[in-house]
Amino acid sequence: MKITDSDKLKHRQLRMEDYLQKVSGEQKEYAEVCASPKIIKTDITNTNEQTEGLLEQILARDNLNLAYKRVKKNKGAGGIDGMQVDELLPYLRENQKELVESIRGGKYHPKPVRRVEIPKDNGKTRKLGIPTVVDRLIQQAINQVLTPIFEKQFSDNSFGFRPGRSAQDALNRY
């Protein structure tokens, strides 16, 4: 990321009182807020060129086939519609054209997720949302196209929710 005039902007305090936050421990004082650095548009941050025909890339046959294979490989439970992963291929053979047209036309709406509670090690439970297998297919197809576009914009020091990176990788680096 390129920053303009980084020395000047790095610790410039904002003067408008609206931007100052009261310190939680001492309600009489205000915390200082630094102005955020300005980012210069570069080939990496300019996504306009990279997003031409984005919907067509997402709905491309090869991309959808790869998305299907990944959803099938991941298995998982069905969503609120009750459709299981094994039932996805017959469904797509019958409904692929209508599904793609509804997405292309902006008429597709994902179904609500099915909520289940899974046990934790401490005896409590946590809620988990399970999308329908059709929604997972579409999410995977979108992910396959968007990840390469935005992945190269992340800092090398960013590890959260990124492919091939984990919290353990962050700890090992530092």
Side-chain angles (χ1 to χ4, degrees):
M1 172 182 0
K2 292 185 180 179
I3 301 175
T4 59
D5 299 323
S6 61
D7 293 333
K8 294 178 187 174
L9 294 175
K10 190 172 182 182
H11 293 291
R12 185 183 74 184
Q13 183 181 2
L14 296 175
R15 299 289 178 214
M16 294 174 55
E17 193 168 301
D18 293 325
Y19 289 100
L20 297 176
Q21 300 290 320
K22 284 192 175 184
V23 178
S24 60
E26 310 230 358
Q27 293 295 324
K28 297 176 185 173
E29 296 181 23
Y30 286 94
E32 291 185 17
V33 179
C34 295
S36 59
K38 295 182 181 177
I39 299 175
I40 297 174
K41 275 195 170 184
T42 65
D43 291 340
I44 293 174
T45 60
N46 183 6
T47 57
N48 291 340
E49 296 171 12
Q50 301 166 23
T51 57
E52 290 295 320
L54 201 56
L55 187 58
E56 287 72 26
Q57 292 175 45
I58 292 167
L59 297 177
R61 184 177 206 88
D62 289 344
N63 189 51
L64 290 174
N65 286 339
L66 180 59
Y68 167 77
K69 289 176 184 174
R70 289 188 175 163
V71 168
K72 177 88 171 156
K73 181 180 174 185
N74 289 341
K75 299 179 184 174
I80 63 162
D81 62 358
M83 183 188 301
Q84 301 300 313
V85 175
D86 293 338
E87 300 171 85
L88 182 58
L89 186 58
Y91 173 84
L92 291 174
R93 285 186 176 142
E94 253 184 65
N95 300 293
Q96 180 182 3
K97 187 175 182 179
E98 294 84 8
L99 179 62
V100 169
E101 287 307 314
S102 70
I103 295 169
R104 189 171 276 125
K107 297 190 186 315
Y108 180 81
H109 297 286
K111 303 267 189 288
V113 297
R114 182 168 64 100
R115 290 281 179 210
V116 295
E117 290 186 354
I118 58 173
K120 293 171 60 174
D121 291 339
N122 62 6
K124 295 182 179 181
T125 61
R126 74 175 177 96
K127 292 182 180 179
L128 180 70
I130 303 175
T132 65
V133 291
V134 174
D135 289 341
R136 291 200 311 250
L137 170 84
I138 294 166
Q139 290 169 9
Q140 181 63 43
I142 293 168
N143 184 48
Q144 291 168 179
V145 173
L146 293 183
T147 297
I149 293 172
F150 292 103
E151 179 63 24
K152 60 186 170 186
Q153 295 181 37
F154 284 105
S155 165
D156 285 338
N157 297 320
S158 174
F159 289 87
F161 302 101
R162 292 184 58 199
R165 292 178 178 231
S166 67
Q168 189 62 46
D169 294 328
L171 290 172
N172 290 340
R173 178 177 289 182
Y174 303 102

